[in-house]
Amino acid sequence: MLLRCAFVLLTVRRLRHRCRSLPNVNHDALLADLDDDQRRAVTCAPTATIIHAGAGSGKTRVLTHRIAWRIAQGTADPSRVLAITFTREAAAEMRKRLRALGITRHDRAGDLDQPTIGTFHSVALALLRRRASDTSAQLPTVVGNRVSLLDQALGENPLGRQSAAVLAEIDWAHARMVSPERYEAEVERIGRKVALAPARVASAYRAYEQLKAKRGLVDLDDLISHATRAINERADFAAATRFRFRHIFVDEAQDMNPLQYGFFEALRGDREDVFIVGDPLQAIYGWNGADPALFTSLPDALNKPTVLTLPSNYRCTPQVLAMATHVATNNGTIPNVHSRRSSGFPVEYLEVEDEYDEDHLLRHIVAPHVQAGIVPSFAVLARTHAVLEPLARALSAAGIPVASRRASTVRTNAIDEVAECRTRHDLTVWAADIIVESTDDDERIVAEQVQAYLRSSVRGEVDGRSAAAYLRASHAAPENYGVELLTFHAAKGREFSRVVIVGAERGLMPHSSASSEEQLREEARLAYVACTRAADHLTVIRAKRRKGRVTTPSPYFAQLPDGVEQRGSHVVEARRQRLSTPTDPGVLAERDLKRRLRDVRDVIARTNFTLPEAVLSDVEIARIVAERPCDVEHLARILGPLTANRLGGAILREVSHTATP
């Protein structure tokens, strides 16, 4: 008993010492620029807490500040913190923010005294790797080519082009913890539509699982199920894991599927030191196995936790949020969220005759933004790729740049992670992790290039900076900026100054594949997510005919709220005439500068989750436009020295880009 007490006392002392010794953690700074709801979430008691974070409410800011606050207060040991995200990009962003708060020293986790931040798959893999090391067992091998393995499992009856669809169904079954024997009954029970006969899918699923087991292979989802089983079946492993991860944080929890939820419960045990952030109105992955009911059931599972709400939206103008709220009512829910921004441009709802007029109208909407040089803040969203593909061709044919950012952005982020590796061993482990856990082809290519670099550099010191320099110099790919064309799913987590939603017709919104009540509710949530990607301008377009067939309007945009500008098919010609109307160049220049300064103000306000007028007032913008300051000293006479030094770079850059009338 004495030894046990001594051990506990030593642990507490180490915890307090580690928390006191963290560099650059300022208690007051952690709470600065937080609104009352955010501050309440960050500083609430260290018990089970659920945060309902509305769109644009600063959930990542709250989550990272909560981690930093707990550590700074001495109620959490940084080495015992586990934060689970759903994407590698989200994990990288969280590490970046924690580093800025003085909690971590590197963008990529690696030190034992730092928080562990990763996806469900990466956390499960790390646990299995540790388990294998402790027991001298062999770590399972992840399937490399799943299509090839499925074809081998089916022998003389391969699926050909339908292999990808069947593998998607297998992934859905894994996520829902549905065995091959139960697959048919479950599909029938929930009314799920599948490309093949359910019996054929179940047979392929069974053969695939049998071949995996025979060869000792696993899928990514198997990593989660194996780690969960190891925790639930081995008391010693469960105790060690829960001791290692005492403080659990979960982001985007509304997207958890039953498999991930089971893993979370295994990690948690019966403890209440969990902090969970989610938004039921942004649960849009039911087709992939997620179950939003798991998030709504958490209060019962966690035994009366603290439940808080972040209702302030710092991204969208009141007009945009009113449209999004109207759309969300089709889900049977009125969002508890309100805009903290000043009044903005009215939302537009435009009807055109067909998809050809849609192309023409879109070009005329986009063209002025291209000329003004703010294309990266413009996005065209649609429910499916099929709607976007002809629009991309039409914009490109008109000389309007279309973004192809994804591959280069993923590559850049991966190379940044490589640069954080400090030794050859770190590089080797990073590359192996990516190849095992990532499903992104561009990311895996970077990992393979790192492995090739290591093989070619057999002598001398090797670190992440040298590897990153090699990757950038040898395989640089310029990023193509332009208008972004994204599906609703791909747009989640993004924001743009202006958004145009196309295809506001029944069959696309909601999609024709949605038949059950829950699927229709998810379609409404998906449309809500699409609307809330817009910060300043939102335009919705409906074509009366598409592919030669008469359409009916989407029910999401019926009986529109007051203030929405509705126009018919004559809008294309009206836009053309408006664009050709001459205006005094001096007036245009002043108007353009005011608009761009407001854009700068809005971006800074959204980043800091504050009101735009608190950053820069309309009176100050008017004085800047009138006086055209050319240096910080002149700007200080308008804004004061502190604000001028803080915002001078951004403001003077916009002023210098405006021609004097």
Side-chain angles (χ1 to χ4, degrees):
M1 178 62 72
L2 289 175
L3 288 175
R4 184 175 181 180
C5 291
F7 174 75
V8 171
L9 180 61
L10 179 61
T11 300
V12 171
R13 286 177 176 172
R14 285 176 176 173
L15 170 59
R16 290 175 176 171
H17 173 73
R18 183 176 286 122
C19 294
R20 286 197 302 267
S21 64
L22 276 169
N24 304 321
V25 178
N26 185 314
H27 292 222
D28 295 332
L30 289 176
L31 303 181
D33 299 325
L34 298 179
D35 66 31
D36 291 341
D37 297 300
Q38 293 169 340
R39 190 176 295 110
R40 192 176 300 113
V42 168
T43 62
C44 66
T47 59
T49 304
I50 301 171
I51 305 296
H52 288 250
S57 62
K59 67 175 183 60
T60 304
R61 181 183 178 87
V62 166
L63 187 59
T64 51
H65 279 65
R66 171 67 170 181
I67 294 173
W69 176 262
R70 288 283 310 274
I71 292 172
Q73 291 292 306
T75 62
D77 180 343
S79 68
R80 309 301 183 194
V81 168
L82 170 64
I84 305 177
T85 68
F86 277 79
T87 66
R88 292 181 56 80
E89 292 80 7
E93 177 65 21
M94 194 177 295
R95 284 192 289 268
K96 178 181 176 182
R97 295 196 188 197
L98 287 173
R99 186 179 66 168
L101 294 173
I103 300 303
T104 63
R105 292 183 294 279
H106 306 284
D107 283 338
R108 179 168 172 78
D111 292 341
L112 293 178
D113 63 345
Q114 294 189 99
T116 298
I117 302 169
T119 64
F120 281 92
H121 291 116
S122 65
V123 172
L125 175 62
L127 288 177
L128 291 175
R129 182 179 287 122
R130 174 171 294 184
R131 178 68 177 159
S133 175
D134 292 343
T135 61
S136 300
Q138 185 175 358
L139 189 68
T141 302
V142 177
V143 177
N145 188 329
R146 301 180 73 207
V147 173
S148 175
L149 187 68
L150 179 60
D151 288 343
Q152 293 175 45
L154 297 177
E156 298 179 356
N157 300 301
L159 294 167
R161 294 181 179 180
Q162 294 177 317
S163 293
V166 170
L167 286 170
E169 282 302 295
I170 291 174
D171 290 340
W172 173 84
H174 282 167
R176 305 286 295 194
M177 303 174 69
V178 175
S179 66
E181 292 71 28
R182 290 179 46 228
Y183 175 82
E184 284 186 78
E186 186 66 14
V187 166
E188 182 179 357
R189 185 185 71 82
I190 66 173
R192 181 175 175 83
K193 292 183 178 180
V194 294
L196 282 76
R200 175 68 168 138
V201 176
S203 176
Y205 180 14
R206 185 179 301 105
Y208 180 75
E209 293 298 307
Q210 290 173 347
L211 185 57
K212 273 198 313 179
K214 181 178 180 180
R215 296 186 179 180
L217 301 173
V218 295
D219 278 327
L220 289 177
D221 285 338
D222 292 328
L223 297 175
I224 299 177
S225 61
H226 283 27
T228 303
R229 189 180 306 116
I231 295 173
N232 289 335
E233 294 179 356
R234 299 288 305 192
D236 57 343
F237 185 56
T241 299
R242 291 166 187 162
F243 179 79
R244 171 74 173 85
F245 298 131
R246 301 180 202 167
H247 324 291
I248 301 176
F249 299 77
V250 182
D251 191 14
E252 300 281 12
Q254 77 280 349
D255 291 330
M256 279 194 293
N257 59 46
L259 179 65
Q260 294 162 338
Y261 183 82
F263 183 44
F264 161 73
E265 282 287 85
L267 289 169
R268 183 178 74 89
D270 58 358
R271 298 169 303 162
E272 296 185 354
D273 194 346
V274 294
F275 190 85
I276 303 168
V277 181
D279 180 10
L281 271 175
Q282 297 189 70
I284 59 173
Y285 294 107
W287 58 274
N288 204 25
D291 185 354
L294 295 173
F295 180 75
T296 57
S297 69
L298 279 171
D300 293 330
L302 296 175
N303 189 24
K304 298 180 180 180
T306 300
V307 180
L308 300 173
T309 302
L310 302 179
S312 296
N313 181 304
Y314 291 91
R315 176 191 303 149
C316 307
T317 63
Q319 288 82 356
V320 171
L321 196 58
M323 176 66 97
T325 300
H326 174 77
V327 168
T329 58
N330 286 274
N331 182 37
T333 304
I334 299 178
N336 178 21
V337 60
H338 56 268
S339 174
R340 293 293 297 271
R341 296 188 56 195
S342 56
S343 183
F345 299 95
V347 173
E348 296 178 300
Y349 178 81
L350 310 177
E351 288 190 335
V352 295
E353 290 299 322
D354 52 30
E355 64 266 42
Y356 302 105
D357 273 355
E358 182 180 70
D359 289 349
H360 189 81
L361 175 59
L362 188 59
R363 279 181 275 146
H364 281 281
I365 293 174
V366 174
H369 289 262
V370 174
Q371 296 165 2
I374 58 171
V375 175
S377 192
F378 195 113
V380 179
L381 308 183
R383 176 63 178 83
T384 66
H385 285 291
V387 175
L388 292 174
E389 289 168 358
L391 293 174
R393 292 193 295 269
L395 291 175
S396 298
I400 296 173
V402 175
S404 58
R405 296 167 56 98
R406 181 183 174 279
S408 56
T409 300
V410 170
R411 177 179 173 80
T412 298
N413 291 340
I415 293 176
D416 287 344
E417 290 189 10
V418 168
E420 290 298 323
C421 297
R422 287 162 292 172
T423 66
R424 179 186 290 272
H425 173 73
D426 289 347
L427 285 167
T428 302
V429 171
W430 182 88
D433 284 352
I434 295 296
I435 290 173
V436 166
E437 71 182 59
S438 179
T439 58
D440 191 290
D441 290 339
D442 299 300
E443 203 170 41
R444 290 169 67 89
I445 287 172
V446 173
E448 291 168 357
Q449 291 169 348
V450 168
Q451 290 182 328
Y453 173 73
L454 292 172
R455 287 194 298 269
S456 65
S457 304
V458 294
R459 296 182 180 180
E461 292 293 326
V462 173
D463 61 16
R465 287 179 298 177
S466 63
Y470 165 81
L471 292 170
R472 293 185 180 115
S474 303
H475 305 277
E479 197 161 348
N480 180 20
Y481 287 102
V483 179
E484 298 217 40
L485 275 69
L486 302 167
T487 64
F488 293 172
H489 284 102
K492 187 173 184 292
R494 305 286 301 278
E495 69 173 68
F496 305 89
S497 176
R498 177 152 197 174
V499 166
V500 176
I501 294 175
V502 296
E505 303 124 34
R506 189 181 293 274
L508 290 172
M509 299 173 62
H511 194 268
S512 58
S513 63
S515 56
S516 69
E517 185 177 342
E518 176 51 40
Q519 289 169 337
L520 290 170
R521 284 197 294 265
E522 181 164 311
E523 288 292 312
R525 295 194 295 266
L526 193 54
Y528 170 80
V529 167
C531 290
T532 54
R533 300 311 94 193
D536 307 303
H537 306 254
L538 175 62
T539 300
V540 180
I541 301 176
R542 175 227 166 180
K544 295 180 180 179
R545 299 177 66 87
R546 191 174 294 277
K547 295 184 178 179
R549 297 180 179 178
V550 176
T551 70
T552 56
S554 167
Y556 303 152
F557 301 101
Q559 299 177 347
L560 292 170
D562 295 339
V564 174
E565 290 188 357
Q566 302 183 58
R567 284 188 288 248
S569 57
H570 63 282
V571 71
V572 175
E573 183 60 31
R575 291 266 176 159
R576 183 185 297 112
Q577 293 175 359
R578 190 184 311 164
L579 287 170
S580 62
T581 301
T583 308
D584 177 73
V587 174
L588 282 177
E590 287 190 0
R591 189 178 301 163
D592 179 65
L593 179 55
K594 283 183 180 179
R595 176 188 53 74
R596 288 189 284 112
L597 288 173
R598 289 192 184 102
D599 287 341
V600 169
R601 176 181 72 176
D602 290 345
V603 169
I604 294 172
R606 292 197 302 274
T607 301
N608 293 284
F609 298 96
T610 189
L611 299 176
E613 288 76 10
V615 176
L616 204 62
S617 71
D618 289 336
V619 173
E620 290 168 332
I621 288 178
R623 286 192 61 188
I624 293 170
V625 172
E627 298 183 28
R628 304 290 176 89
C630 59
D631 53 34
V632 174
E633 184 178 354
H634 187 173
L635 187 62
R637 293 197 292 271
I638 301 173
L639 305 177
L642 292 177
T643 304
N645 286 327
R646 183 163 51 90
L647 306 180
I651 293 174
L652 295 176
R653 182 167 55 251
E654 298 302 331
V655 173
S656 66
H657 289 171
T658 303
T660 303

